Amino acid sequence: MAVTDNRQSTFEGTLRSAKTSLMFSETLRLALDSFRASKIRFLLTMLGMIIGSASIVLVVTVGLTGRQYALDTLSSIGPNMVEMQYNGGATIGPDGASTPDYMTREDEAAVLAQIPGIAQSSPMLEIHTPVSVGDGKVKDVMLLGVSPRYKDVRNLGVLAGRFFDDQDSVMHDKVGVMVEPLAKEIYGSSQAAVGKVLSMSGVPVTIIGVFKQRVDTFGQSEISETTMLLPYTVARYFTGTDTVKEIFFTMKDPADVPRGGARILELIRSRHRKTSNYTAFTMVAILDTMAKVADSLTYVLTAAAFITLVVSGVGIMNSMLANVSARIREIGIRKALGATKREIRLQFLTEAVFLSLCGGVVGTLLGLAVPISVNLLTPVHIPMSWLSAVVALFTSVLVGVIFGTLPANRAASLDPVETLKYE
């Protein structure tokens, strides 16, 4: 008896499954027939969905591209860098006179000795002085006295000649490197500048190289278009002191930058008067801020693209309502042949979803085609988000379900007797 019941239950389940499959295939066929019968109207209705889906993918792509560009730019400046700055405060001498409480090379040595994880460091002296460039010409130049490690700390690129090294620094060689715009302004090219001798306050300095920043910092760095770098030991000739206003450090691990910056700041403060003011500047905060700004912009633009999808959903609903009104007699005939409300509802809901999904697929493919084409045909790399494609397709289906429900319910609720009388 139990075996018979199990067989009957299995048979009924198989029958229900076959019936459901048959009903779905029939519903899909009717949706396709309806689409073929009104191609132009449905294509125009799909247009809004195509634009909305493509907008979602493109907006996310633009946001990712802008975010990546900003982060790459800032990272090229020095993501591992900690810049210690003196911002004010003074020491009071026995005579009551006050002098700035600048940092010293001893502070730099103390940091290197007591704080682990630091890769390199460089002090910086800033001097503004007129320079004789020959033929009686004088140019105002900003001299920065730095160590040979400054090149790696600031990620500088040498265009011609070489950067000064430890031997130059130890031997107090009067050499320097010039920023590219200054070399072009004075000598016409980077190569022509190498080997030239400038007179700085009567001190002859030989140009041994021309450098540039690897990325455009838009004026947000200590290097300007009139900068020349000298060994720190030589730059001291112009100041007569070993005090410095800024010291650069780089951490071995970018993850240690926030903690390392805090420890460096604490140590520097402990070596000076409490009234003196120092700050530890890192790229971490700027990187985080830029990432948040780019993400926020992407969210706003994506919301605008979603509004486009909602508007196109309203268009789908209007089109489906008009479709229901045009097919009242067909609905009546189907109901007279035994179609249930559920089947009628499913038919029109399938048409709405099919319409929106087709628009979503076409729009998503168009949106993805832009970054894929750029990546394949140009050396520029544009990041793509496959998640945005999934979101665009899911949203298009959701729009079809939401805005197709009302027309489907209206079609299902029509009275079969009245529909058969409809002309």
Side-chain angles (χ1 to χ4, degrees):
M1 184 70 178
V3 174
T4 303
D5 290 341
N6 289 336
R7 287 179 177 175
Q8 184 175 359
S9 177
T10 302
F11 175 75
E12 291 176 353
T14 304
L15 186 62
R16 281 196 301 271
S17 177
K19 184 178 180 181
T20 301
S21 177
L22 182 63
M23 183 180 68
F24 180 76
S25 61
E26 179 68 15
T27 301
L28 185 60
R29 186 185 64 80
L30 290 172
L32 291 173
D33 289 342
S34 176
F35 178 75
R36 294 192 189 98
S38 306
K39 294 179 182 178
I40 301 300
R41 183 179 68 185
F42 281 124
L43 287 174
L44 292 176
T45 306
M46 281 170 50
L47 184 60
M49 190 63 63
I50 292 172
I51 295 174
S53 299
S55 298
I56 289 178
V57 177
L58 290 175
V59 161
V60 174
T61 300
V62 170
L64 288 175
T65 303
R67 185 178 190 272
Q68 190 63 47
Y69 173 77
L71 296 182
D72 287 346
T73 299
L74 292 174
S75 295
S76 298
I77 298 173
N80 297 12
M81 185 178 69
V82 178
E83 181 182 352
M84 285 300 307
Q85 298 177 340
Y86 167 71
N87 296 319
T91 58
I92 309 298
D95 57 353
S98 63
T99 56
D101 194 10
Y102 290 122
M103 294 175 287
T104 65
R105 295 301 304 271
E106 286 74 19
D107 291 332
E108 179 187 2
V111 170
L112 294 175
Q114 299 181 38
I115 298 179
I118 296 178
Q120 301 178 89
S121 66
S122 172
M124 189 186 80
L125 281 174
E126 183 176 330
I127 307 165
H128 296 270
T129 181
V131 174
S132 175
V133 298
D135 298 331
K137 296 181 180 179
V138 177
K139 176 70 178 177
D140 288 329
V141 175
M142 183 176 71
L143 302 179
L144 298 181
V146 296
S147 77
R149 266 74 59 191
Y150 182 80
K151 171 180 174 292
D152 298 321
V153 170
R154 288 290 282 106
N155 196 21
L156 303 179
V158 177
L159 300 177
R162 65 179 180 87
F163 205 84
F164 49 82
D165 54 25
D166 288 328
Q167 182 177 354
D168 296 320
S169 183
V170 172
M171 299 300 294
H172 294 207
D173 291 337
K174 298 175 182 62
V175 296
V177 293
M178 184 176 287
V179 73
E180 181 185 20
L182 183 60
K184 288 183 176 180
E185 179 184 351
I186 299 177
Y187 301 109
S189 69
S190 299
Q191 291 291 344
V194 178
K196 296 295 192 296
V197 179
L198 302 178
S199 177
M200 302 178 182
S201 301
V203 178
V205 176
T206 302
I207 302 172
I208 61 172
V210 176
F211 74 95
K212 73 170 185 176
Q213 300 183 88
R214 294 188 186 276
V215 294
D216 191 349
T217 59
F218 307 101
Q220 301 303 308
S221 79
E222 71 281 0
I223 297 175
S224 69
E225 293 187 351
T226 60
T227 296
M228 186 168 177
L229 305 180
L230 305 177
Y232 171 82
T233 52
V234 176
R236 286 185 57 193
Y237 293 156
F238 300 94
T239 62
T241 177
D242 67 344
T243 58
V244 290
K245 193 174 181 180
E246 296 179 57
I247 303 177
F248 295 87
F249 299 93
T250 53
M251 307 299 295
K252 295 177 182 178
D253 187 349
D256 292 336
V257 171
R259 182 178 56 185
R263 294 186 63 184
I264 294 172
L265 178 61
E266 181 181 0
L267 178 58
I268 295 292
R269 284 176 174 172
S270 69
R271 295 174 54 86
H272 292 265
R273 293 175 60 89
K274 292 183 179 180
T275 55
S276 299
N277 186 18
Y278 308 92
T279 57
F281 175 80
T282 69
M283 301 301 296
V284 174
I286 296 181
L287 288 171
D288 291 341
T289 301
M290 291 298 295
K292 290 177 181 178
V293 169
D295 289 342
S296 299
L297 181 61
T298 301
Y299 295 149
V300 171
L301 295 176
T302 303
F306 275 116
I307 293 175
T308 304
L309 286 178
V310 171
V311 172
S312 51
V314 174
I316 289 176
M317 183 174 64
N318 290 335
S319 177
M320 292 304 299
L321 287 173
N323 194 27
V324 169
S325 299
R327 296 164 61 188
I328 289 180
R329 189 169 183 81
E330 174 194 330
I331 295 170
I333 294 174
R334 286 204 65 199
K335 285 191 172 185
L337 294 175
T340 63
K341 288 185 177 182
R342 177 170 175 268
E343 291 172 343
I344 298 296
R345 184 181 295 108
L346 181 62
Q347 175 189 345
F348 283 90
L349 190 59
T350 301
E351 291 182 14
V353 172
F354 177 78
L355 187 63
S356 62
L357 181 59
C358 287
V361 169
V362 174
T364 301
L365 292 176
L366 290 176
L368 290 174
V370 174
I372 290 175
S373 300
V374 172
N375 291 338
L376 291 177
L377 302 177
T378 70
V380 179
H381 175 72
I382 296 180
M384 294 188 303
S385 173
W386 296 104
L387 179 60
S388 65
V390 174
V391 170
L393 292 175
F394 175 78
T395 305
S396 63
V397 173
L398 187 62
V399 167
V401 171
I402 292 174
F403 290 94
T405 299
L406 178 61
N409 287 336
R410 176 169 294 185
S413 62
L414 291 175
D415 183 85
V417 176
E418 295 298 326
T419 54
L420 290 173
K421 295 179 180 178
Y422 186 82
E423 295 292 340

